[in-house]
Amino acid sequence: MNLKQYVITFVIVVFAFAKAYAQETLSEVLPKEEAVSLMLENNFGIQLANNQVAISENNTSILNADYLPTISGNAGANFDRTTSNTDFGGATDQEGNPRPDIEIEGAETTRYNASINLDYTLFDGLGRYYNYKQLKEQYNLTQLQARETIENTMLQLFSVYYEVARLKENVIILEGALQVSKDRAVRAQYQFDYGQANKLQILNAKVDITTDSINVLNARQSLRNAQRDLNVVLNRDLEKTFLADTTVSFVNALVIDSHIEQAMQNNVTLLQSEQDIIISDYQIKSARALFLPTIGLTGSYGWNQSNNPASAFFPSTTSTSNSLAAGASLRWNIFDGGRSIVALKNAKIFRQSQELVKEQLQQQVQRDIANAKGDYKNALTIYDLQTQNVKTNEDNFKRSQERLKLGQITSVEFRQAQLNLLNAQVTKNAAKYTAKLAELQLLQLTGQLLNVAF
């Protein structure tokens, strides 16, 4: 096999392998909206957060607020079997004869009782009212915590989703570079056959084909790994293949500025802090309720039956009774050793701590927003610069192609122009998704991540 046949065979084999590999990984495009829907439905973290919301919602029920009375039922049964002997100690009857002993064997006594009791707290210093309010606010806090989980998971989703998109575009770019190297190898072989080039150009092209083929294979493997990462976030079959939507659009700058202006009212971390303060206010009121009396109502209905056997002096009897009782009680814990006073003081201190936490978070959020805004603008500028850089390198590459055909530059110089274009395209590709992720992080800080289209 001569050199020309070897090169052509090598190119065909590499191309066939690359085509077969591509066919394995091709699949339908997973739209962003569908990815978000799958995340909300299947992600483990979001499911756990939703369960916490459901528990908190159950806790806000009136069944958990001590507003309803407690009703209890009691019942019992007793059985007694007794053998007795009564000795009169020499006593005589009316006729003067000694009285005989009286022996009762197996005397059975049975007793039955049943009752139903009702207790109701009419007034407890408004403690249960404020506890119920706390449960309501705790439910709102749990919803905010679930929202934060969703926002963090969505950032994770798009971080991986855009990584899949970036790697897919990289594969396309690298495949284009591989095709250019293949075409150069064929052209170099023809030039060699007609005495217009030496073997060095053919060997250089062959080396470049090998390098580009390896780059394509590595990029495809990275893409496959990223697809598995996204399947983990979506909680679906790890081997399911798909393509990501590579279309990226940015939110209008005026809209971004409007979101930033309202960030302190919409940031989920600050909203949780405000909710903690509301809950601590009710904790103070609940502590104050300990200083007030408690008024309660009680009621009961009972039934009793007793079956008594005959004794030495009395015949057998059966007694049945029914009782109905109602009452009211007042309990005022005038002094409990100071525990109520300490509880109230601690509740007030905790309220002050929550205010300090809120102020600290406000400062941190303002800093994070300022940093995120700067990072976003910087990322957009870099993306614009890289876009211009690609255009410049494309022009340089096209001219290098023409000069290579005319023999005015070497294959090494052409390869350098090709690599420059390749690097510029890959860098621009990364800059695009870096800018989009920076935008999403900024939107999360402003509390608008769940309110924008992707």
Side-chain angles (χ1 to χ4, degrees):
M1 180 183 295
N2 59 33
L3 184 59
K4 176 181 178 181
Q5 292 174 325
Y6 180 84
V7 171
I8 294 176
T9 302
F10 178 78
V11 171
I12 292 174
V13 170
V14 172
F15 179 75
F17 179 76
K19 183 177 180 180
Y21 192 97
Q23 289 176 344
E24 290 180 0
T25 59
L26 284 179
S27 61
E28 74 281 359
V29 173
L30 176 65
K32 301 182 186 73
E33 295 78 9
E34 183 178 346
V36 172
S37 177
L38 289 171
M39 177 202 72
L40 293 174
E41 181 180 356
N42 299 331
N43 182 266
F44 287 120
I46 293 178
Q47 291 184 53
L48 291 173
N50 289 335
N51 286 343
Q52 290 299 320
V53 172
I55 291 173
S56 185
E57 184 178 12
N58 291 336
N59 289 338
T60 62
S61 169
I62 193 173
L63 300 176
N64 191 48
D66 293 332
Y67 271 107
L68 300 179
T70 59
I71 301 174
S72 61
N74 298 295
N78 294 284
F79 174 79
D80 186 10
R81 185 183 180 89
T82 305
T83 298
S84 64
N85 183 66
T86 303
D87 183 357
F88 291 98
T92 60
D93 57 16
Q94 294 178 350
E95 298 178 356
N97 298 320
R99 298 188 63 175
D101 294 346
I102 299 177
E103 182 177 354
I104 300 177
E105 184 176 356
E108 296 181 353
T109 302
T110 57
R111 297 183 181 87
Y112 304 97
N113 65 83
S115 65
I116 184 168
N117 306 289
L118 180 145
D119 289 287
Y120 180 67
T121 300
L122 189 64
F123 177 76
D124 66 344
L126 297 179
R128 61 184 174 183
Y129 172 76
Y130 294 125
N131 289 334
Y132 181 66
K133 289 292 186 179
Q134 284 187 62
L135 293 173
K136 287 285 189 180
E137 299 303 333
Q138 186 64 44
Y139 169 65
N140 295 334
L141 177 61
T142 307
Q143 287 185 311
L144 291 173
Q145 291 170 343
R147 171 186 156 186
E148 184 178 31
T149 299
I150 293 173
E151 288 183 356
N152 291 335
T153 306
M154 187 168 292
L155 272 183
Q156 180 188 10
L157 167 70
F158 279 106
S159 176
V160 183
Y161 185 91
Y162 285 134
E163 179 66 6
V164 173
R166 183 186 72 83
L167 291 171
K168 177 55 184 175
E169 288 193 306
N170 282 356
V171 168
I172 295 173
I173 292 171
L174 292 170
E175 286 176 342
L178 175 60
Q179 187 60 48
V180 169
S181 297
K182 292 175 183 178
D183 294 340
R184 181 160 63 88
V186 174
R187 185 170 57 253
Q189 180 62 49
Y190 283 126
Q191 289 176 339
F192 175 76
D193 291 342
Y194 290 101
Q196 298 177 354
N198 54 38
K199 288 186 178 181
L200 181 60
Q201 294 184 3
I202 298 177
L203 294 175
N204 286 338
K206 179 181 174 182
V207 170
D208 293 340
I209 289 175
T210 302
T211 300
D212 293 342
S213 298
I214 293 173
N215 290 338
V216 169
L217 293 175
N218 288 334
R220 285 174 175 163
Q221 182 59 40
S222 297
L223 173 61
R224 191 69 194 92
N225 293 342
Q227 288 174 329
R228 293 190 183 95
D229 291 339
L230 186 55
N231 284 332
V232 169
V233 178
L234 300 179
N235 185 22
R236 62 178 190 168
D237 183 9
L238 293 179
E239 299 306 321
K240 187 174 182 61
T241 59
F242 57 91
L243 297 178
D245 183 3
T246 58
T247 304
V248 171
S249 59
F250 296 98
V251 179
N252 185 278
L254 295 177
V255 176
I256 290 288
D257 291 337
S258 174
H259 292 333
I260 293 176
E261 291 177 359
Q262 301 175 6
M264 305 307 288
Q265 291 78 39
N266 297 322
N267 179 273
V268 69
T269 302
L270 294 180
L271 290 176
Q272 289 182 66
S273 179
E274 292 175 359
Q275 205 64 37
D276 286 332
I277 291 176
I278 294 174
I279 292 173
S280 64
D281 284 335
Y282 285 121
Q283 289 174 343
I284 293 175
K285 293 177 180 179
S286 295
R288 286 174 177 163
L290 297 175
F291 295 96
L292 298 176
T294 299
I295 301 174
L297 300 176
T298 60
S300 66
Y301 172 78
W303 171 83
N304 293 274
Q305 184 182 77
S306 177
N307 298 315
N308 300 305
S311 66
F313 304 101
F314 299 99
S316 62
T317 61
T318 298
S319 63
T320 303
S321 64
N322 297 279
S323 62
L324 178 65
S329 64
L330 182 146
R331 183 173 59 85
W332 197 336
N333 198 356
I334 298 175
F335 183 70
D336 60 357
R339 288 190 296 271
S340 298
I341 297 175
V342 172
L344 179 58
K345 288 182 177 180
N346 288 341
K348 290 180 177 179
I349 294 173
F350 183 75
R351 170 67 163 75
Q352 294 173 355
S353 297
Q354 292 298 325
E355 286 285 357
L356 294 174
V357 169
K358 179 182 177 181
E359 292 178 7
Q360 181 184 31
L361 289 174
Q362 284 176 336
Q363 189 178 49
Q364 292 176 351
V365 169
Q366 288 175 343
R367 177 206 60 191
D368 293 342
I369 290 176
N371 291 343
K373 181 179 179 181
D375 291 341
Y376 176 51
K377 289 185 175 180
N378 188 63
L380 284 178
T381 302
I382 292 175
Y383 176 52
D384 291 338
L385 291 174
Q386 292 297 339
T387 301
Q388 295 298 323
N389 189 38
V390 168
K391 293 179 180 179
T392 302
N393 278 278
E394 285 177 345
D395 292 339
N396 180 59
F397 176 71
K398 291 177 181 178
R399 293 180 181 179
S400 297
Q401 275 185 319
E402 297 298 328
R403 295 183 65 187
L404 180 66
K405 293 177 182 179
L406 298 174
Q408 295 177 350
I409 61 173
T410 64
S411 59
V412 175
E413 293 173 318
F414 174 78
R415 178 62 175 177
Q416 186 59 51
Q418 183 187 16
L419 291 177
N420 289 341
L421 175 59
L422 177 64
N423 292 333
Q425 291 173 326
V426 171
T427 304
K428 173 202 168 185
N429 188 27
K432 176 174 69 172
Y433 297 111
T434 298
K436 186 59 181 178
L437 289 175
E439 179 187 84
L440 295 181
Q441 291 170 351
L442 179 57
L443 288 171
Q444 183 195 24
L445 290 170
T446 61
Q448 300 295 334
L449 181 61
L450 305 181
N451 300 325
V452 297
F454 299 99

